[in-house]
Amino acid sequence: MKLVGISGTIIGAKTEIVVSSVLEQVKKHYPEIETELLDLKNFDVQFCDGRDPSQYTGDTRAAMDMIESGDFFLIGTPIYQASMSGVLKNLFDLIPVTALQQKVVGFVATGGTYQHYLVIENQLKPIAGFFRSFVAPSYVYAHDDHFNEFKELTDPDVLARIEKLAHELVFMQQRLKSVE
């Protein structure tokens, strides 16, 4: 089984830190699970222009291939203007519906106000519904205050939620695969 973590931003480090922390917990507790990080900072993804997804090339194709190779997913975004990042929205527009269909998806987000956790509930979960994904009930929202001056996660509650989400993703994936 392969868990693909997506850091849906092209600037900053906090979203990637949270996504990587969940992936590390999965590796720690479930070494048999393959994990892969799709950090959009490292990809020059083209804007979606309506063409067939198979016609994209280069980094865009590589990013789409990474997603299509995943069995389940962890998707992270910073919150800008009370919404997900544009680069993540563009990625959702690029990938075929079948890439996330009938697959487990979990979410993490980072932001500068405590109310922005609602973006997960009001925007990301409905997108997962469009893809017909199985959404993990838990998620992680990390505020600027949860990081120290070295951009390390230090808040014990956030660290506990990261570990809980890691277990929940694997639990859901294992149960889903056991009924197929």
Side-chain angles (χ1 to χ4, degrees):
M1 278 187 283
K2 182 177 180 181
L3 171 61
V4 175
I6 301 169
S7 177
T9 183
I10 55 174
I11 61 169
K14 292 176 183 164
T15 300
E16 186 274 327
I17 289 168
V18 179
V19 171
S20 291
S21 295
V22 176
L23 295 178
E24 288 166 13
Q25 287 297 316
V26 169
K27 284 190 259 185
K28 175 183 172 183
H29 295 287
Y30 308 95
E32 71 279 9
I33 304 247
E34 179 185 354
T35 62
E36 186 171 26
L37 175 65
L38 170 57
D39 188 347
L40 290 176
K41 280 188 286 233
N42 301 325
F43 291 79
D44 183 18
V45 176
Q46 297 169 283
F47 282 109
C48 179
D49 59 15
R51 72 182 114 149
D52 186 278
S54 66
Q55 295 178 351
Y56 288 94
T57 61
D59 279 358
T60 306
R61 178 79 260 152
M64 293 168 65
D65 287 346
M66 282 179 72
I67 292 169
E68 290 176 3
S69 74
D71 296 305
F72 61 129
F73 300 90
L74 173 68
I75 300 171
T77 184
I79 306 303
Y80 301 129
Q81 306 290 358
S83 187
M84 75 188 89
S85 69
V87 70
L88 181 60
K89 175 61 170 89
N90 185 58
L91 189 67
F92 284 141
D93 290 342
L94 286 165
I95 60 175
V97 173
T98 56
L100 301 178
Q101 192 171 15
Q102 304 283 314
K103 295 184 180 180
V104 174
V105 175
F107 293 109
V108 302
T110 57
T113 74
Y114 283 103
Q115 293 77 20
H116 281 157
Y117 76 91
L118 291 170
V119 170
I120 296 170
E121 291 289 342
N122 296 322
Q123 294 178 25
L124 296 174
K125 286 185 175 183
I127 287 172
F130 166 79
F131 281 103
R132 304 295 189 249
S133 302
F134 299 109
V135 180
S138 298
Y139 52 83
V140 175
Y141 178 76
H143 182 274
D144 290 345
D145 292 344
H146 297 139
F147 296 85
N148 66 17
E149 66 271 15
F150 305 108
K151 293 187 180 166
E152 298 167 327
L153 279 167
T154 55
D155 185 90
D157 183 53
V158 172
L159 294 170
R161 285 186 277 133
I162 285 170
E163 186 168 7
K164 179 182 178 186
L165 180 57
H167 288 296
E168 195 172 89
L169 287 168
V170 173
F171 173 82
M172 288 180 67
Q173 178 65 16
Q174 289 173 337
R175 293 305 178 267
L176 178 65
K177 290 301 166 194
S178 71
V179 297
E180 288 185 344

